[in-house]
């Protein structure tokens, strides 16, 4: 090397989709090589469009709403307005997008099945934007949502003004999106994110949550057969997502690590925790659910012994149909209490 140029070598290579070099530069490849195979069908009767929630960063939210016919019998009130279901996509904080076919199809199914106005949120990805960038984006999104609720018919996004019952808002996500949903709910419960009426979080839903710790769980030490996410993959994604030099006991990775905010005094909304058994992170998800229960929080655990990490965004199956039924009951029950 000449001229004092730093050595340009690959320090992280995630299946060729992300290459992180020693000088901090990043090259991205096509994610199609590692995404779930389709087809991912559209849900009949669900409309969707994009809106910008952070103009400065160009971040968008995709708004889904079922047709009036599909929403009939939703047990709603408030002039037949629907619950709001906020959704953060997965991808280890490093890959994925709100508009990818598997997340797009899944959000359509959610809108039709619950039924609800589903808001699928784009957020910045690591390693270009390491955590807490995504958490900051979630806070910005909820500030936008609060402003939309305050505007009402006087200037809000028309579909929200027409169809959204902000007093029945649920926060959710899959994998890293579930991790992000947890942190958003904690910030809301602690007052770090201000949600004034009429916005009220009535519950939150974690699908295949992306939690880890320095201490390995049994399902990490002895992984189930046929996992879709390996321990090495999870470790690599966290190395690229967390601040440089952070360990898996960083509070954004391990919600019960030293330095993590205590959940016990917080007025957390009811939780639905979805735990697929064929997932190396199954032990972490069970620990999360158990800790909530120990603290006396309202929590429902839905285990799917034969399903893999992120199964909720796969092709429709008997398991996803069962999950939709559980989710619909959870939302309707807690929406009625709001």
């Amino acid at each position: 090397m000449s001229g004092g140029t730093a050595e340009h070598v690959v320090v992280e290579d995630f299946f060729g989709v992300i290459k992180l070099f020693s000088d901090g530069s990043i090259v991205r490849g096509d994610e199609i090589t590692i995404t779930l195979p389709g087809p991912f069908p559209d849900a009949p009767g669900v409309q969707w469009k994009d809106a910008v929630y952070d103009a400065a960063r160009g971040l968008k939210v995709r708004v889904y709403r079922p047709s009036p016919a599909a929403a009939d019998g939703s047990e709603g009130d408030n002039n037949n307005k629907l619950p709001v279901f906020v959704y953060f996509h997965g991808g280890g904080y490093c890959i994925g997008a709100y508009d990818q076919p598997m997340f797009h199809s899944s959000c359509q199914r959610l809108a039709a099945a619950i039924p609800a106005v589903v808001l699928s949120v784009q957020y910045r990805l690591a390693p270009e934007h390491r955590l807490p960038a995504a958490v900051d984006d979630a806070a910005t999104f909820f500030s936008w949502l609060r402003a939309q609720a305050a505007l009402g018919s006087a200037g809000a996004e028309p579909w929200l003004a027409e169809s959204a019952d902000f007093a029945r808002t649920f926060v959710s996500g899959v994998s890293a999106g579930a991790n992000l949903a947890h942190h958003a709910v904690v910030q809301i419960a602690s007052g770090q994110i201000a949600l004034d009426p009429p916005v009220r979080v009535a519950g939150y839903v974690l699908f295949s949550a992306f939690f880890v710790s320095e201490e390995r769980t049994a399902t990490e030490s002895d992984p189930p057969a046929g996992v879709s996410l390996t321990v090495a993959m999870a470790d690599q994604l966290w190395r690229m997502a967390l601040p440089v030099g952070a360990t898996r006991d960083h509070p954004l990775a391990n919600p019960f690590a030293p330095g993590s905010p205590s959940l016990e005094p917080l007025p957390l909304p009811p939780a639905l925790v979805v735990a697929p058994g064929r997932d190396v992170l199954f032990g972490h998800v069970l620990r999360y659910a158990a800790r909530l229960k120990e603290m006396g929080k309202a929590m429902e655990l839905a285990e799917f012994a034969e399903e893999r990490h992120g199964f909720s965004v796969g092709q429709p199956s008997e398991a996803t149909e069962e999950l939709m039924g559980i989710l619909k009951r959870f939302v309707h029950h807690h929406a009625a209490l709001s």
Side-chain angles (χ1 to χ4, degrees):
M1 304 293 290
S2 61
T5 304
E7 190 175 5
H8 189 70
V9 298
V10 176
V11 294
E12 299 285 358
D13 185 348
F14 191 74
F15 298 98
V17 172
I18 303 174
K19 289 186 179 181
L20 174 62
F21 292 84
S22 54
D23 63 358
S25 60
I26 298 156
V27 174
R28 285 189 176 265
D30 193 340
E31 290 188 21
I32 193 66
T33 59
I34 59 171
T35 54
L36 293 173
F40 299 105
D42 289 339
V46 175
Q47 302 171 295
W48 61 271
K49 66 177 176 180
D50 289 346
V52 175
Y53 76 86
D54 184 347
R57 295 192 174 97
L59 295 174
K60 298 178 180 179
V61 54
R62 182 158 288 183
V63 183
Y64 300 83
R65 69 171 181 178
S67 66
D72 281 349
S74 65
E75 301 174 17
D77 47 27
N78 192 16
N79 298 318
N80 295 319
K81 290 189 176 182
L82 298 171
V84 174
F85 198 83
V86 176
Y87 184 88
F88 297 105
H89 69 78
Y93 282 119
C94 296
I95 58 174
Y98 77 108
D99 56 357
Q100 278 184 340
M102 61 183 176
F103 299 120
H104 179 63
S105 178
S106 180
C107 285
Q108 289 184 68
R109 296 203 308 266
L110 289 166
I114 295 173
V117 175
V118 175
L119 303 179
S120 183
V121 184
Q122 181 185 23
Y123 56 88
R124 288 172 293 167
L125 298 179
E128 294 91 339
H129 305 282
R130 289 179 178 264
L131 291 168
V135 179
D136 293 341
D137 293 341
T140 301
F141 168 77
F142 281 107
S143 294
W144 175 86
L145 189 67
R146 181 184 62 185
Q148 291 291 305
L151 285 169
S153 59
E157 155 56 45
W159 284 10
L160 295 182
E162 294 165 9
S163 302
D165 181 359
F166 296 99
R168 299 185 292 158
T169 295
F170 292 80
V171 183
S172 76
V174 60
S175 191
N179 178 290
L180 184 51
H182 159 81
H183 290 294
V185 166
V186 168
Q187 289 195 357
I188 291 167
S190 64
Q192 295 176 69
I193 296 175
L195 285 186
D196 303 323
V199 181
R200 177 184 175 275
V201 175
Y204 71 111
V205 182
L206 307 186
F207 303 105
S208 306
F210 193 52
F211 296 133
V212 291
S213 67
E214 281 297 296
E215 181 182 1
R216 298 296 192 187
T217 64
T219 49
E220 289 173 304
S221 300
D222 185 17
V227 297
S228 57
L229 175 74
T230 67
V231 172
M233 289 165 63
D235 287 355
Q236 185 176 20
L237 289 166
W238 276 116
R239 285 198 303 272
M240 294 190 293
L242 288 169
V244 174
T247 73
R248 294 189 306 275
D249 276 337
H250 189 284
L252 291 176
N254 178 3
F256 306 113
S260 293
S262 174
L263 305 184
E264 194 154 9
L266 297 180
L268 295 177
L272 171 61
V273 179
V274 179
R278 290 170 59 193
D279 183 358
V280 296
L281 303 182
F282 182 65
H284 290 289
V285 176
L286 291 187
R287 180 183 68 165
Y288 181 87
R291 292 291 291 272
L292 288 185
K293 188 174 182 180
E294 289 168 6
M295 295 174 193
K297 308 299 184 186
M299 188 282 303
E300 179 180 342
L301 175 65
E303 293 187 47
F304 288 81
E306 298 304 316
E307 299 305 314
R308 301 192 299 179
H309 183 86
F311 79 97
S312 61
V313 297
Q315 294 185 46
S317 65
E318 185 176 327
T320 61
E321 288 302 306
E322 181 183 352
L323 175 58
M324 288 296 174
I326 293 170
L327 177 61
K328 183 174 182 176
R329 289 192 298 271
F330 176 83
V331 170
H332 284 191
H333 175 69
H334 293 290
L337 299 177
S338 64

Short mmCIF file of all heavy atoms in Angstrom, two decimals, residues 35 64 78 84 152 164 173 228 325:
data_model
loop_
_atom_site.label_atom_id
_atom_site.label_comp_id
_atom_site.label_asym_id
_atom_site.label_seq_id
_atom_site.Cartn_x
_atom_site.Cartn_y
_atom_site.Cartn_z
N THR A 35 -33.98 -13.87 0.42
CA THR A 35 -35.35 -13.67 0.88
C THR A 35 -36.16 -14.95 0.71
O THR A 35 -35.81 -15.84 -0.07
CB THR A 35 -36.04 -12.52 0.13
OG1 THR A 35 -35.95 -12.76 -1.28
CG2 THR A 35 -35.38 -11.19 0.45
N TYR A 64 -52.29 0.58 4.88
CA TYR A 64 -53.19 -0.45 4.36
C TYR A 64 -54.54 -0.30 5.05
O TYR A 64 -54.60 -0.11 6.27
CB TYR A 64 -52.67 -1.86 4.67
CG TYR A 64 -51.31 -2.19 4.10
CD1 TYR A 64 -50.14 -1.82 4.76
CD2 TYR A 64 -51.20 -2.91 2.91
CE1 TYR A 64 -48.90 -2.15 4.25
CE2 TYR A 64 -49.95 -3.25 2.39
CZ TYR A 64 -48.81 -2.86 3.07
OH TYR A 64 -47.57 -3.18 2.56
N ASN A 78 -67.06 3.87 17.23
CA ASN A 78 -66.46 5.13 16.82
C ASN A 78 -66.68 5.35 15.33
O ASN A 78 -65.74 5.54 14.56
CB ASN A 78 -64.95 5.15 17.15
CG ASN A 78 -64.35 6.55 17.02
OD1 ASN A 78 -65.07 7.53 16.97
ND2 ASN A 78 -63.03 6.61 16.96
N VAL A 84 -55.73 0.74 14.80
CA VAL A 84 -54.49 1.05 14.08
C VAL A 84 -53.44 0.03 14.49
O VAL A 84 -53.20 -0.18 15.69
CB VAL A 84 -54.01 2.47 14.41
CG1 VAL A 84 -52.64 2.75 13.79
CG2 VAL A 84 -55.03 3.50 13.94
N GLY A 152 -56.83 15.35 12.45
CA GLY A 152 -58.15 14.84 12.10
C GLY A 152 -58.50 15.16 10.65
O GLY A 152 -57.64 15.16 9.77
N ALA A 164 -59.12 5.46 10.78
CA ALA A 164 -58.29 5.07 11.92
C ALA A 164 -58.88 5.51 13.25
O ALA A 164 -59.21 6.68 13.43
CB ALA A 164 -56.89 5.64 11.77
N GLY A 173 -44.21 -5.94 15.35
CA GLY A 173 -43.10 -6.12 14.44
C GLY A 173 -42.66 -7.57 14.43
O GLY A 173 -43.02 -8.35 15.32
N SER A 228 -34.04 -21.42 10.24
CA SER A 228 -33.82 -20.48 9.13
C SER A 228 -32.84 -19.39 9.50
O SER A 228 -32.23 -18.78 8.63
CB SER A 228 -35.16 -19.85 8.72
OG SER A 228 -35.78 -19.20 9.82
N GLY A 325 -55.90 -15.95 13.80
CA GLY A 325 -57.03 -16.07 14.72
C GLY A 325 -56.68 -15.60 16.11
O GLY A 325 -57.47 -14.90 16.77
#
